[in-house]
């Protein structure tokens, strides 16, 4: 008797498990895949063997349906079902992932959020950042519900940790997310060399993958404080300027993290899209001020919901007025220009002067545009945070 679509969906627990994790597990079991069109994948790849499954995706890239093919046997389906029960439906086991996060200020203290997150300094003996203008690496620990199976929880931990880091970097202006790129096998490499001096390690190049055993402590529990003092929590001096003072965190950080933890799936995905563009703006700011401005305004635009009878511009302005209200007429005029400038850049009618001029040459327009980017960053950060808090309160 042929295996039906409904039986496949039931035995793969499509409506019960995280679809990203299900997709990863299927790849592990079946092997390569091939795209049939923009919404369908076939498993395995035709050169590997006859098709067993066709996976259907939504426009946003989420796995939404599974259809059996002729080559799917009862043995195949049973193996998949058993692996799903073992890896995705088994009782959770406490696990921990450690990553490197960066700060515009040095950190020698300890901060903990409930039984989920920890920030602490690098272990003694690791290279220090020698230049005040560089970011300082610190350890980020994230507890998550894993399983006894060692393979899949690693990717689950990375995904969960990246989400929490994204919210941390949004709420705490001094925290900087690492730039994604190839894994480097050393703690640090030389940023540059001065004549007659040895290489100086740069915190930007700190290796972000570590074995927990290298740091000591149990791999499945958050690091304890030990003799470390607290990372200060205050709303004083919350600007973006790098300075020699130690890292401090804003008083509303805990509220933001609790709010993020309480969001439903749809709101969480929306917020993470917004934080993606916000962090992307910071990462490209040294390459193109125009691209940074576009990305940072787009981070807030992700959250704007325009009713059918309202224009996008009006909805955007209403959103800014609600979640980041202006405190003066001057600020209000700058608010009103956010969407206009973003549209001009996106449509190709404007490019910031800093993307055209010889760097370092004085130019009043460049200085003015730097103020515009700083203003947009502050407004969008404020609006996204207030949206997060209000959404969670609902």
């Amino acid at each position: 008797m042929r295996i039906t679509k409904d039986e496949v969906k039931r035995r793969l627990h499509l409506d019960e498990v995280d679809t990203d994790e299900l997709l990863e597990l299927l790849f592990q079991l079946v092997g390569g895949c091939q795209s049939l069109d923009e919404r369908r994948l076939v498993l395995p790849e035709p050169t590997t063997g006859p098709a067993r499954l066709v996976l259907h995706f939504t426009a946003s890239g989420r796995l939404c349906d599974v259809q059996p093919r002729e080559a799917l046997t009862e043995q195949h389906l049973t193996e998949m079902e058993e692996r799903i029960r073992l890896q995705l439906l088994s009782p959770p086991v406490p696990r921990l992932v450690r990553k490197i996060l960066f700060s515009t200020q040095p950190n020698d203290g300890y901060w903990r959020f409930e039984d989920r997150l920890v920030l602490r300094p690098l272990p003694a003996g690791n290279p220090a950042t020698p230049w005040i203008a560089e970011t300082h690496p610190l350890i980020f620990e994230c507890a998550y519900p894993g399983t006894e199976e060692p393979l899949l929880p690693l990717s689950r931990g990375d995904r969960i940790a990246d989400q929490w880091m994204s919210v941390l970097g949004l709420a705490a202006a001094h925290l900087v997310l690492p730039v994604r790129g190839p894994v480097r096998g050393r703690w640090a490499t030389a940023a540059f060399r001065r004549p007659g001096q040895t290489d100086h390690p740069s915190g930007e190049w700190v290796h972000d993958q570590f074995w927990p055993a290298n740091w000591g402590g149990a791999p499945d529990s958050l690091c304890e404080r030990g003799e470390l003092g607290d990372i200060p929590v205050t709303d004083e001096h919350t600007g973006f300027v790098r300075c020699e003072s130690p890292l401090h965190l804003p008083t509303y950080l805990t509220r933001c993290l609790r709010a993020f933890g309480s969001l439903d799936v749809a709101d969480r995905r929306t917020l993470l899209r917004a934080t993606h563009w916000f962090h992307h703006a910071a990462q490209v700011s040294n390459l193109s001020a125009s691209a940074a401005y576009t990305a940072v305004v787009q981070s807030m635009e992700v959250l704007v919901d325009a009713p059918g009878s309202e224009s996008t511009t009006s909805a955007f302005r209403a959103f800014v007025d609600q979640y980041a209200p202006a405190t003066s007429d001057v600020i209000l005029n700058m608010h009103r220009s956010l969407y206009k400038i973003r549209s001009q850049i996106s449509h190709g009618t404007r490019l910031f002067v800093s993307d055209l001029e010889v760097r370092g040459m004085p130019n009043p327009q460049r200085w003015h545009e730097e103020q515009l980017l700083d203003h947009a960053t502050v407004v969008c950060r404020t609006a996204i945070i207030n949206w997060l808090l209000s959404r969670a309160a609902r």
Side-chain angles (χ1 to χ4, degrees):
M1 182 176 178
R2 184 177 177 180
I3 301 174
T4 66
K5 172 183 172 180
D6 289 341
E7 183 181 2
V8 171
K9 293 176 63 176
R10 176 179 60 81
R11 293 178 64 178
L12 296 186
H13 301 272
L14 184 62
D15 297 329
E16 302 175 48
V17 301
D18 184 289
T19 54
D20 289 335
E21 294 186 352
L22 175 61
L23 189 61
E24 181 181 356
L25 186 146
L26 292 176
F27 286 164
Q28 291 176 7
L29 289 173
V30 181
C33 65
Q34 180 170 313
S35 173
L36 297 179
D37 51 45
E38 67 274 15
R39 297 286 183 87
R40 294 184 301 163
L41 289 177
V42 61
L43 297 175
E45 188 177 1
T47 57
T48 305
R52 300 180 196 173
L53 294 172
V54 174
L55 311 180
H56 294 254
F57 295 79
T58 66
S60 61
R62 308 293 297 183
L63 178 62
C64 63
D65 199 6
V66 179
Q67 289 186 325
R69 284 293 181 92
E70 291 76 9
L72 180 67
T73 66
E74 176 64 28
Q75 180 180 353
H76 293 145
L77 189 56
T78 299
E79 182 183 7
M80 294 176 189
E81 185 176 17
E82 289 301 316
R83 291 288 294 274
I84 290 171
R85 291 185 183 279
L86 176 64
Q87 293 193 2
L88 305 184
L89 296 175
S90 61
V93 176
R95 295 296 186 199
L96 183 69
V97 61
R98 291 185 173 106
K99 288 178 171 284
I100 285 292
L101 191 59
F102 294 93
S103 168
T104 58
Q105 299 170 307
N107 172 51
D108 294 319
Y110 179 95
W111 177 85
R112 183 174 181 134
F113 170 65
E114 298 176 349
D115 290 327
R116 296 184 177 183
L117 312 176
V118 157
L119 297 177
R120 60 189 178 98
L122 296 181
N126 288 307
T129 303
W131 311 111
I132 192 173
E134 290 179 355
T135 51
H136 303 261
L138 62 149
I139 293 174
F140 167 74
E141 296 184 341
C142 177
Y144 68 96
T147 66
E148 295 290 352
E149 179 68 30
L151 293 179
L152 190 66
L154 292 176
S155 60
R156 177 187 293 178
D158 276 341
R159 183 164 55 249
I160 292 175
D162 288 344
Q163 292 178 359
W164 285 106
M165 286 173 63
S166 185
V167 179
L168 275 170
L170 170 73
H174 293 300
L175 295 181
V176 181
L177 268 61
V179 178
R180 293 182 178 180
V183 174
R184 297 177 174 86
R186 292 187 294 171
W187 269 104
T189 60
F192 56 86
R193 181 182 299 171
R194 290 184 176 181
Q197 294 188 4
T198 59
D199 290 350
H200 291 277
S202 167
E204 294 286 357
W205 297 87
V206 172
H207 193 324
D208 65 347
Q209 303 289 331
F210 309 98
W211 294 108
N214 294 339
W215 295 342
D220 298 332
S221 60
L222 295 172
C223 175
E224 297 298 330
R225 180 190 308 275
E227 298 180 357
L228 295 172
D230 287 328
I231 297 177
V233 177
T234 174
D235 284 332
E236 297 180 1
H237 311 296
T238 54
F240 297 95
V241 179
R242 303 175 194 269
C243 61
E244 294 180 343
S245 61
L247 170 68
H248 58 270
L249 302 171
T251 56
Y252 52 81
L253 177 58
T254 297
R255 290 179 57 208
C256 290
L257 295 174
R258 286 175 178 162
F260 177 69
S262 69
L263 292 180
D264 61 29
V265 174
D267 281 344
R268 179 172 291 206
R269 290 174 182 167
T270 300
L271 179 73
L272 291 174
R273 289 203 307 272
T275 58
H276 165 82
W277 289 113
F278 186 86
H279 297 308
H280 179 72
Q283 292 169 352
V284 302
S285 60
N286 290 332
L287 302 176
S288 170
S290 305
Y293 191 94
T294 302
V296 75
V297 175
Q298 189 165 321
S299 71
M300 182 168 58
E301 193 174 359
V302 168
L303 307 177
V304 177
D305 184 16
S309 59
E310 187 177 9
S311 69
T312 303
T313 303
S314 298
F316 183 89
R317 289 181 175 180
F319 184 91
V320 177
D321 291 342
Q322 179 179 357
Y323 293 108
T327 55
S328 68
D329 290 340
V330 174
I331 299 298
L332 179 61
N333 289 333
M334 296 180 70
H335 280 19
R336 292 290 182 258
S337 67
L338 287 169
Y339 192 80
K340 176 182 177 182
I341 296 174
R342 198 279 297 163
S343 298
Q344 290 172 341
I345 297 173
S346 298
H347 298 155
T349 60
R350 178 170 183 169
L351 193 66
F352 278 9
V353 171
S354 60
D355 293 332
L356 298 171
E357 66 171 5
V358 177
R359 291 191 177 274
M361 296 296 290
N363 187 308
Q365 181 63 18
R366 173 171 60 84
W367 295 335
H368 173 65
E369 289 171 345
E370 288 176 355
Q371 291 181 333
L372 292 178
L373 179 56
D374 289 343
H375 168 261
T377 301
V378 172
V379 170
C380 292
R381 182 192 296 273
T382 301
I384 296 172
I385 288 175
N386 285 334
W387 179 91
L388 167 62
L389 295 176
S390 66
R391 208 73 172 182
R394 283 171 42 186

